[in-house]
Structure formats: structure tokens, C-alpha cells
Amino acid sequence: MLRRRRQLAKVLIELQGDLPERAGSIGRLLLEAGQAIQAVDYLLPALERRLRQGRYVEGKELVESIDRAISDDAVLSQDDQGIYLLSAARVFISLGKPEVSEKFLLQIEAGSEDEIYLQKQILQSEICDRKGYAEDSIEILENLRETVERSGTSQIAQNFQNQLGSGFSKLGRFDEAVQEYLKGIRIAEEMDDELGQAGLLNNLGNIRLRLREFDAARENFSRSVEIFNRWGHLDRETITRVGLASIDFYQGHLEEAGIIYRGAIETFRLIQNRMGLGRNYRNLGEVERLLGRFDVAADCYQRSIEVRHAIGDRMG
């Protein structure tokens, strides 16, 4: 059996090339064949690929495979170790499991490479933000501002602006949030990073929504949806479509909003995004309440509470 798995992995490698779409499958076959050291050479790029695609459930499975490979004596270089821990943390943040994400971040020590440790702190601020501690999130980021600004145009700078905008938004400091998101969009444009632009446009749309600037919000969300759809990022596309549903909600188009919220619930259940699931049960509950369907609304609220309690989503 082990020999057959090694042979199958060899065939896939020959067919797919150096960085294949099937890297995860090859890595798992090598792992099952007892070749953990070779397996991580495929599992690590597969994890990065799934993160870029927004396929976080598959990313979680790859994290589990990499952990198994490490327990089977595979050794990562210091650089690969830092990148892996950051990627694993991002997977679980995106799946609404901040407590798991923190376990990976705690393994990144202060003596790690500067860039890795800086990204760890930005992710730590995101966890604080998602747990409802926006002031703590901003404090972490403000202490990093000089260091990030010295890095110039970079992915780290883009992530920093995005997270700072989120923190200001949570505190109701909308003008500051808008400025941080616009800075991030400019950085993404300079980097020719479409997906980065899409994420920032979505967040900017949420600010416009809260300011009741519905036309501007719809434009931001629509541009974001188009990019995510083109890149096949179902999770992020769905999150952005929820923004469009919220515009319908505030403009009184409740049935239209409900259709999108129900679709989001199905998608988030399918891809196991518990944060998105909990928040959209709440959104649908609001629609059902305003439509006078109180029993359905109560059921939605209860489901939302159960999911949010399970993941510690205080802002949900």
C-alpha cells in the first residue's frame, strides 16, 4: 500500500509540474506513504494557494496534514516555520476560530525574523478586533506604525492599513477609517494586487454603508464582488454580497435582502465559516422580524447566539 501511494504521488508530480493544483493531494499521498519530509514540500505551497483562493476549509485540512508531518519528524526551516504558523493562524481567523489561531501565533517568538514577528503582531491585532476589543487592536497597531511606514509599499503595509481601518471603524471613527482604507487601496494598486484592492473596497463599502452613503457603498461592493468572483474566492465574494444585501435592507427591500442572507447562510455552512454563519443568522432574523414572521426570526436569533457563543464572537 505504501509503495502504491509513492508511485501515485510520482505520477501526479510528473503530470502536474513543480507547483501543481494537486500539490495538496501529492503531499498527503507522500505523508501516507511515510515520506513526511518530502510531503511538506508540497503541503506548504498548497496551503498558501488555498489561502489566496479563500478556500479556508481545505486550508484547515492542509494545516492538519502539516502538523502530522512535523510530528512524523519533518523539520521546517526557520523561514518556513514562521510562514507556516502565520498561514495557519490566518486560516483559523478566517474560519472564526480565534482561539485556535492564537495557539499558532504563540509559537512565533520575539527572536523570529523581523518581518514574521511584525506580521504576527498585526494578526494579533486582528484577533483582538474580531473579539470586540477594538481599542486594544488599535493600540497594537499604533505601536507598529513607524516600523510599517519604513517598510514602504508592501503586503505588510497593506495589511496594516486594512486592520487599522477596521479598528477605527469599530470605534465609530469613520473619517479616520476611510483614510486608512484609501491608503491601503493605493498600496494595493501600486502592487497590482487585485485581491488586496477587493478586500479593502469591501471594507470601505461597509463604512459608506454605515454613513448611509448607499450609492458609494454599492459601487465599492460591486467592484469587490466582481474581482472576488473572477478569482473564484467564494467565501470573500459571499461576505461582500452580504454588504449589498444590507443596502437592500436599509432601503426597505427586505425580501431581496433575505434572499441574499439565506444564500450566505448556505454558503457559510458549506464552507464551515462559523463567523459568517452566525452573523448572517442574525441578519436574517432582523429581516424576518420586520416582515412579521416572529417565530422564524426567533429561531434565527437563537442559531446566531449559539454559533457566536461557540466561537467567542462578541461583535457578532
Side-chain angles (χ1 to χ4, degrees):
M1 181 65 73
L2 294 181
R3 182 180 178 184
R4 288 179 61 190
R5 285 173 175 161
R6 282 195 293 268
Q7 289 174 335
L8 181 54
K10 182 179 179 181
V11 170
L12 286 174
I13 292 168
E14 291 174 350
L15 288 174
Q16 300 293 334
D18 291 336
L19 290 175
E21 170 65 24
R22 297 285 184 181
S25 299
I26 293 170
R28 280 188 284 267
L29 283 168
L30 290 169
L31 184 60
E32 292 298 330
Q35 296 180 274
I37 295 173
Q38 289 178 271
V40 294
D41 290 337
Y42 290 90
L43 294 170
L44 287 172
L47 175 58
E48 293 301 309
R49 188 183 185 95
R50 292 299 179 247
L51 271 173
R52 289 194 302 271
Q53 293 171 328
R55 293 162 64 175
Y56 304 117
V57 173
E58 293 171 71
K60 173 178 174 289
E61 293 169 354
L62 287 163
V63 168
E64 292 167 351
S65 294
I66 293 168
D67 277 347
R68 180 181 163 190
I70 292 171
S71 69
D72 288 349
D73 297 328
V75 178
L76 304 183
S77 69
Q78 185 174 359
D79 285 349
D80 283 345
Q81 174 79 358
I83 292 169
Y84 165 61
L85 292 171
L86 289 171
S87 296
R90 288 191 180 100
V91 164
F92 285 102
I93 288 175
S94 299
L95 290 174
K97 298 180 180 179
E99 71 287 349
V100 180
S101 179
E102 285 180 305
K103 291 178 182 178
F104 287 99
L105 292 182
L106 285 172
Q107 297 178 56
I108 301 175
E109 300 177 354
S112 303
E113 182 185 342
D114 289 345
E115 183 174 314
I116 296 293
Y117 193 68
L118 184 57
Q119 291 184 72
K120 170 192 173 176
Q121 291 173 294
I122 294 173
L123 280 175
Q124 190 64 60
S125 77
E126 182 174 351
I127 290 173
C128 288
D129 185 28
R130 292 198 179 212
K131 286 184 173 181
Y133 305 117
E135 290 183 352
D136 293 341
S137 174
I138 288 175
E139 183 178 355
I140 292 171
L141 294 171
E142 289 292 6
N143 289 333
L144 300 177
R145 188 184 285 276
E146 279 190 32
T147 303
V148 172
E149 288 177 349
R150 284 199 300 270
S151 75
T153 298
S154 67
Q155 188 64 53
I156 291 177
Q158 186 187 139
N159 293 342
F160 174 85
Q161 298 299 156
N162 197 19
Q163 193 52 48
L164 195 55
S166 176
F168 283 138
S169 172
K170 297 284 176 58
L171 294 176
R173 294 162 61 176
F174 299 127
D175 288 344
E176 291 168 277
V178 167
Q179 292 307 310
E180 300 300 342
Y181 285 139
L182 289 174
K183 288 179 188 176
I185 290 170
R186 285 195 293 272
I187 291 171
E189 289 173 345
E190 290 177 22
M191 296 175 62
D192 196 24
D193 179 3
E194 272 201 314
L195 290 173
Q197 292 177 50
L200 287 153
L201 283 165
N202 173 56
N203 292 340
L204 182 58
N206 281 315
I207 298 293
R208 302 298 191 199
L209 177 64
R210 296 181 71 174
L211 294 172
R212 302 297 189 266
E213 298 174 0
F214 296 127
D215 290 343
R218 190 177 294 277
E219 180 181 353
N220 293 149
F221 288 138
S222 296
R223 287 176 60 197
S224 182
V225 165
E226 186 275 326
I227 294 172
F228 285 139
N229 177 267
R230 181 152 40 83
W231 282 78
H233 282 227
L234 178 61
D235 191 351
R236 301 175 76 182
E237 178 189 345
T238 302
I239 291 169
T240 308
R241 287 191 185 280
V242 168
L244 291 169
S246 296
I247 295 174
D248 287 333
F249 177 86
Y250 287 118
Q251 292 183 325
H253 308 306
L254 298 179
E255 295 288 359
E256 290 87 340
I259 290 170
I260 298 176
Y261 290 144
R262 288 188 191 91
I265 286 169
E266 291 305 312
T267 298
F268 288 134
R269 182 185 291 118
L270 176 67
I271 63 179
Q272 299 178 36
N273 182 329
R274 295 192 297 167
M275 181 173 289
L277 184 63
R279 295 188 177 191
N280 280 282
Y281 269 128
R282 179 201 59 192
N283 290 339
L284 184 57
E286 286 294 285
V287 168
E288 298 294 350
R289 179 180 64 83
L290 292 173
L291 289 171
R293 299 195 283 255
F294 300 116
D295 289 345
V296 179
D299 180 64
C300 289
Y301 290 141
Q302 184 59 39
R303 289 172 183 263
S304 176
I305 290 168
E306 290 170 359
V307 174
R308 287 159 47 199
H309 177 75
I311 64 175
D313 180 14
R314 298 175 72 246
M315 292 297 291

